[in-house]
Amino acid sequence: MLLQFNNVSKTYTGNHREVRALDDVSMSLGTGRFIAVRGPSGCGKSTLLLTAGGLLKPGAGTVSINDTDLYALSPEQRARFRAETIGFVFQQFHLVPYLSVLDNVLAATLAAPLANAQDRAVALLRQFNLEDRAAHVPAELSTGERQRTALARALMHEPTLLLADEPTGNLDPENADAVLQALKDFAQSGGAVLLVTHDDRAAGAADDVMHMDLGRFVSEGIPT
């Protein structure tokens, strides 16, 4: 199994109260699969995604990718593993404002250098119809172009897992469809996609939809 959660819990403490964002969560995601996770704000979706990406250590349980326990790695090992294995696509793009489109895509190689990085980046810009934008900075791009740039960056290392947080939230229908098709193509080519969303269109593109509430997966309103 590509991604495996085993009895994962995460609790936030503040203002004299505790919030259990993940409550003994177990799940798995295999290659070739595109899974959407839905649920109300504050249900734990974003915590699930960050934990899956090696960015947020759980309080209990294990998270494994290709049988590698993410949080048994040192921070340096985890950063490199993450760069080589996981691609991230966020609603807010997280592009570096003073870098060109090409350099934003190449930024994915800072944590883990890649042979022929320039050729790979140019090929991705061509794939996402961004060749004529290569020298532009993000402020000169449309919203759809920014998201396609972020997607190209996520794919630089040919990851096995894509984690997407509301990737269509700022997009018009045409650009949303283009991004969703790219995610579907990635899964169908042997990768895996875990997407969290409120968007019916995005959820409808997935192979399966899972629902969260109060830090747990639910079925017909009953925690599982």
Side-chain angles (χ1 to χ4, degrees):
M1 197 58 61
L2 175 61
L3 173 65
Q4 186 79 46
F5 274 60
N6 291 307
N7 306 110
V8 174
S9 296
K10 177 65 179 179
T11 300
Y12 297 107
T13 303
N15 297 324
H16 307 292
R17 62 190 291 261
E18 290 188 345
V19 176
R20 202 165 176 83
L22 296 178
D23 187 4
D24 198 34
V25 169
S26 294
M27 66 161 288
S28 59
L29 175 62
T31 56
R33 303 296 293 167
F34 179 178
I35 302 299
V37 178
R38 306 194 71 177
S41 296
C43 73
K45 300 189 304 298
S46 293
T47 298
L48 179 81
L49 207 69
L50 293 172
T51 305
L55 294 170
L56 185 64
K57 185 176 182 178
T62 60
V63 180
S64 299
I65 295 177
N66 286 331
D67 296 323
T68 297
D69 183 342
L70 279 181
Y71 295 98
L73 301 174
S74 70
E76 294 78 12
Q77 290 171 326
R78 190 163 59 250
R80 187 176 182 91
F81 182 86
R82 184 169 56 236
E84 294 176 340
T85 310
I86 306 170
F88 295 89
V89 187
F90 297 106
Q91 180 177 0
Q92 299 301 328
F93 320 133
H94 298 301
L95 301 176
V96 181
Y98 54 82
L99 292 182
S100 69
V101 166
L102 178 61
D103 286 339
N104 263 287
V105 175
L106 287 168
T109 65
L110 293 176
L114 182 68
N116 301 317
Q118 186 86 8
D119 292 342
R120 171 72 178 158
V122 169
L124 284 165
L125 294 187
R126 186 180 306 118
Q127 177 182 337
F128 290 108
N129 297 316
L130 291 165
E131 281 183 289
D132 63 343
R133 297 298 200 190
H136 291 244
V137 296
E140 298 172 322
L141 305 179
S142 70
T143 302
E145 288 168 339
R146 291 177 201 175
Q147 187 58 288
R148 297 203 305 275
T149 301
L151 187 52
R153 180 186 58 195
L155 294 174
M156 265 297 287
H157 276 280
E158 299 183 90
T160 53
L161 176 64
L162 275 182
L163 302 176
D165 189 355
E166 297 285 6
T168 60
N170 289 325
L171 304 183
D172 59 57
E174 181 179 356
N175 280 297
D177 285 344
V179 168
L180 293 172
Q181 187 60 55
L183 296 180
K184 292 170 68 173
D185 291 345
F186 176 81
Q188 290 168 2
S189 69
V193 178
L194 181 63
L195 173 147
V196 301
T197 187
H198 290 100
D199 182 16
D200 291 339
R201 181 191 299 266
D207 299 320
D208 293 296
V209 180
M210 303 171 70
H211 297 268
M212 288 193 77
D213 197 13
L214 299 176
R216 305 181 72 181
F217 288 112
V218 298
S219 177
E220 298 181 355
I222 302 171
T224 59

